[in-house]
Amino acid sequence: MSERIFGLHAVQAVLSRQAGRIEEIFVQEGRHDKRLNELLALANKAGVRVTETPRAELDKMVEGRHQGVVALAQSLKASSEKDLPQLIQNAGAGALVLILDGVTDPHNLGACLRSADAAGVTAVVVPKDNSAGLTAVAQKVACGAAETIPFIEVTNLARSMKTMQDAGLWFIGLAGEADRTLYEQDLRGPVGLVMGAEGSGLRRLTRENCDFLASLPMAGTVSSLNVSVATGICLFEAVRQRGLAAQ
């Protein structure tokens, strides 16, 4: 199955890491600048066909800002659920898994993947149903992270969480009503951070399978943050604590 990837960062990331996926690249006719020339050099090195295309045609190919570049590529596949225990075991005490429960907006998923990659996350886990997948929009927003970080879709999230707990992971769920704040929670060691959808939050079974619940202290009038913003805060608090422990 093929898909259309668009945007300079997203297409260049695939060319750099998984060039074999790309079947053809369409670039804006008459555009010649440094960023595009770098991408074209990668395409030439990988032997990928490049076709100059009018801007109007590119606009019809995808919905969103394509930045003058659209690639036809084999669809990016999620990693296997069976890989989870081994990934956690390989990461040891440094295992850090991000679980997104019910995040359906591909923009939010892409932003979460980007933060997860920057924080050195072991894997990102989502349920197969009621969740955004690795769409072209998610890949564009992720700016290359979708190609580097294990992304795993699971059939039964609660059951998969138990499997990960058996592999040594402790789960901390973010919940606004939790008595303990994120900054009071120990995030060292093998940990899974569980983020719910905006508004509805964590589902009941997901919440029940968390070992601890923590909240972000909110001083203003808003009651919650965008899930990708909250995810970035949580991941880098874990990075901060682990860095202090290593000193």
Side-chain angles (χ1 to χ4, degrees):
M1 183 180 293
S2 296
E3 63 181 359
R4 288 171 179 171
I5 303 169
F6 59 93
L8 283 162
H9 283 298
V11 175
Q12 190 163 342
V14 180
L15 274 172
S16 299
R17 297 159 185 153
Q18 299 177 359
R21 286 179 55 209
I22 297 186
E23 300 166 5
E24 186 174 2
I25 297 175
F26 303 90
V27 299
Q28 185 174 323
E29 194 174 57
R31 176 173 175 177
H32 301 285
D33 56 68
K34 182 179 179 182
R35 293 179 69 191
L36 182 60
N37 287 340
E38 290 173 354
L39 184 148
L40 294 176
L42 287 172
N44 182 60
K45 183 179 179 180
V48 176
R49 183 171 61 183
V50 176
T51 302
E52 287 201 6
T53 306
R55 172 68 183 259
E57 291 300 314
L58 294 178
D59 291 342
K60 294 177 183 178
M61 286 183 181
V62 295
E63 294 183 6
R65 290 189 60 217
H66 51 68
Q67 299 175 304
V69 181
V70 177
L72 184 64
Q74 296 173 10
S75 297
L76 183 63
K77 296 180 180 179
S79 299
S80 171
E81 184 174 349
K82 296 178 181 178
D83 296 336
L84 270 171
Q86 191 62 53
L87 285 168
I88 294 168
Q89 183 178 335
N90 291 346
L96 180 59
V97 173
L98 173 63
I99 300 212
L100 301 174
D101 183 25
V103 175
T104 57
D105 186 333
H107 292 89
N108 280 335
L109 174 61
C112 288
L113 286 170
R114 188 172 181 177
S115 294
D117 179 71
V121 163
T122 307
V124 175
V125 179
V126 303
K128 285 185 178 179
D129 297 325
N130 194 35
S131 176
L134 290 175
T135 64
V137 171
Q139 291 179 59
K140 180 178 186 293
V141 176
C143 290
E147 285 72 41
T148 60
I149 192 164
F151 179 80
I152 299 175
E153 295 175 326
V154 299
T155 304
N156 186 309
L157 183 56
R159 184 175 62 206
S160 295
M161 288 176 69
K162 290 179 180 177
T163 298
M164 287 184 272
Q165 284 170 324
D166 290 341
L169 218 62
W170 293 83
F171 283 111
I172 293 95
L174 200 70
E177 73 278 9
D179 295 330
R180 179 183 302 180
T181 73
L182 179 75
Y183 307 113
E184 297 169 312
Q185 176 66 50
D186 189 351
L187 300 175
R188 297 166 297 174
V191 162
L193 285 170
V194 191
M195 313 295 295
E198 291 179 57
S200 57
L202 299 174
R203 291 180 295 172
R204 180 182 59 82
L205 278 177
T206 305
R207 180 189 298 263
E208 290 177 358
N209 279 283
C210 290
D211 298 290
F212 306 99
L213 294 177
S215 64
L216 287 175
M218 305 292 290
T221 57
V222 296
S223 59
S224 64
L225 296 174
N226 175 279
V227 65
S228 64
V229 173
T231 294
I233 293 170
C234 292
L235 289 176
F236 279 90
E237 172 60 14
V239 170
R240 186 192 70 83
Q241 289 188 20
R242 291 161 185 237
L244 289 175
Q247 291 178 2

